[in-house]
């Protein structure tokens, strides 16, 4: 099945589903009350914990609009300047898809190692743990390093054991648990902080420097190959569209 036909099928299916949900959703305001000057009865749809038909049809409509917007890309394929660029985007998307597998290895490895050091007493559920370890390491790729947040994670993960720690100086029992206090007065906090910081530096070196430049090199190679055949690609795409809509 052609990619655009698949987009059409998904968009139409979502539109019909959203239309059906909309038909079964009560009006936000009762027209009779509006005519009488009374306040609108917005019912349960204003309850943020009630993800009912009203919010479902809005969600599906938003995704459906995105599919219809992408559908217009096919119109650009008949242009001799933009058509090869559309084909190039498809090729680059394939390169990016396989590159993500390589990126996932580094991202997951660093995420598990850093979270285990920053949160030695974590007892949250599996879903929250996966989101935190993958989400933070993935955002690091785009420059969201957040050293201050990194230090906050250390304090958040280690302060649970502050009261149970036996300090050489008894006055430390009255101190507030902070990042500096953990590094200066606890062995676990000091070792975990410096090791996690070292892992962060190595992760940024391999991912932000080596892998990103590797991706740029792959994109450059694909761009040159497509650019050399831009004339053939444009004529082929134009012929396919003419045959499809004749």
């Amino acid at each position: 099945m052609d990619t655009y036909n698949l987009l059409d099928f998904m968009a139409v299916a979502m539109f019909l589903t959203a239309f059906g949900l909309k038909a079964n959703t009560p009006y936000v305001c009762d027209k009779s009350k509006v005519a009488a000057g009374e306040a609108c009865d917005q019912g349960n749809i204003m309850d943020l914990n009630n993800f009912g038909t009203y919010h479902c049809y809005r969600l599906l409509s938003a995704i459906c609009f995105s599919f219809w917007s992408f559908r217009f890309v096919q119109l650009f394929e008949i242009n001799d300047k933009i058509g090869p660029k559309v084909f190039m985007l498809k090729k680059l998307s394939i390169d990016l898809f396989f590159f993500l597998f390589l990126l996932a290895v580094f991202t997951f490895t660093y995420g598990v190692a850093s979270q285990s050091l920053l949160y030695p007493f974590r007892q949250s559920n599996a879903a929250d743990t996966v989101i935190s370890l993958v989400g933070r390491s993935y955002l690091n790729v785009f420059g969201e390093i957040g050293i201050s947040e990194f230090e906050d994670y250390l304090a958040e993960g280690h302060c649970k054991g502050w009261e149970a720690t036996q300090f050489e100086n008894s006055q430390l029992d009255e101190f507030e648990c902070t990042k500096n206090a953990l590094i200066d007065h606890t062995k676990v906090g000091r070792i975990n902080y410096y090791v996690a910081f070292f892992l962060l530096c190595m992760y940024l070196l391999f991912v932000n420097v080596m892998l990103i430049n590797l991706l740029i090199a792959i994109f450059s190679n694909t761009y040159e190959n497509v650019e050399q055949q831009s004339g053939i690609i444009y004529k082929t795409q134009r012929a396919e569209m003419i045959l499809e809509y004749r």
Side-chain angles (χ1 to χ4, degrees), residues 6-134:
L6 180 60
L7 283 176
D8 289 341
F9 174 78
M10 296 176 65
V12 171
M14 284 190 178
F15 173 78
L16 295 177
T17 304
F19 184 80
L21 292 175
K22 172 62 177 176
N24 294 323
T25 301
Y27 287 106
V28 176
C29 296
D30 191 341
K31 295 182 179 180
S32 60
K33 292 185 178 181
V34 174
E38 300 179 10
C40 296
D41 183 12
Q42 296 177 330
N44 292 331
I45 65 171
M46 300 298 292
D47 184 2
L48 297 181
N49 286 324
N50 180 25
F51 198 86
T53 57
Y54 175 77
H55 296 286
C56 283
Y57 98 78
R58 291 179 61 86
L59 175 62
L60 292 176
S61 298
I63 299 175
C64 179
F65 176 77
S66 301
F67 284 152
W68 286 122
S69 299
F70 282 121
R71 188 64 175 84
F72 283 102
V73 175
Q74 187 181 21
L75 299 177
F76 299 138
E77 293 183 355
I78 61 176
N79 185 276
D80 59 339
K81 300 297 183 182
I82 308 179
K85 301 301 186 293
V86 175
F87 181 82
M88 190 181 301
L89 287 175
K90 296 178 182 179
K91 291 295 185 180
L92 294 178
S93 300
I94 297 175
D95 294 337
L96 180 62
F97 175 76
F98 290 103
F99 175 82
L100 289 177
F101 287 99
L102 183 60
L103 177 63
V105 175
F106 288 87
T107 301
F108 189 76
T109 301
Y110 166 73
V112 172
S114 63
Q115 290 294 310
S116 63
L117 294 173
L118 295 176
Y119 292 91
F121 310 113
R122 180 188 291 274
Q123 296 180 350
S124 58
N125 56 54
D128 293 338
T129 303
V130 171
I131 292 175
S132 60
L133 69 88
V134 176

Side-chain angles (χ1 to χ4, degrees), residues 110 147 194-207:
Y110 166 73
I147 296 299
Y194 287 119
V195 173
F197 186 78
F198 174 77
L199 292 177
L200 174 62
C201 295
M202 297 302 297
Y203 173 74
L204 295 177
L205 176 64
F206 277 94
V207 175

Side-chain angles (χ1 to χ4, degrees), residues 107-192:
T107 301
F108 189 76
T109 301
Y110 166 73
V112 172
S114 63
Q115 290 294 310
S116 63
L117 294 173
L118 295 176
Y119 292 91
F121 310 113
R122 180 188 291 274
Q123 296 180 350
S124 58
N125 56 54
D128 293 338
T129 303
V130 171
I131 292 175
S132 60
L133 69 88
V134 176
R136 180 177 175 275
S137 56
Y138 180 73
L139 292 177
N140 289 150
V141 180
F142 303 99
E144 293 290 337
I145 301 175
I147 296 299
S148 59
E149 296 179 358
F150 182 83
E151 296 173 350
D152 293 338
Y153 295 150
L154 175 75
E156 180 183 352
H158 287 73
C159 284
K160 293 181 179 180
W162 181 264
E163 297 181 356
T165 303
Q166 298 180 358
F167 297 101
E168 297 179 358
N169 187 354
S170 59
Q171 296 180 353
L172 293 175
D173 294 334
E174 302 177 356
F175 284 10
E176 182 181 358
C177 179
T178 61
K179 168 256 180 182
N180 292 329
L182 288 169
I183 296 177
D184 295 338
H185 303 292
T186 63
K187 295 181 180 179
V188 175
R190 185 184 310 114
I191 295 175
N192 287 350

Side-chain angles (χ1 to χ4, degrees), residues 208-228:
N208 288 29
V209 177
M210 297 179 64
L211 288 185
I212 297 302
N213 282 279
L214 174 62
L215 180 62
I216 294 174
I218 294 173
F219 282 176
S220 299
N221 183 61
T222 302
Y223 176 85
E224 292 177 358
N225 294 335
V226 175
E227 190 67 21
Q228 293 175 356

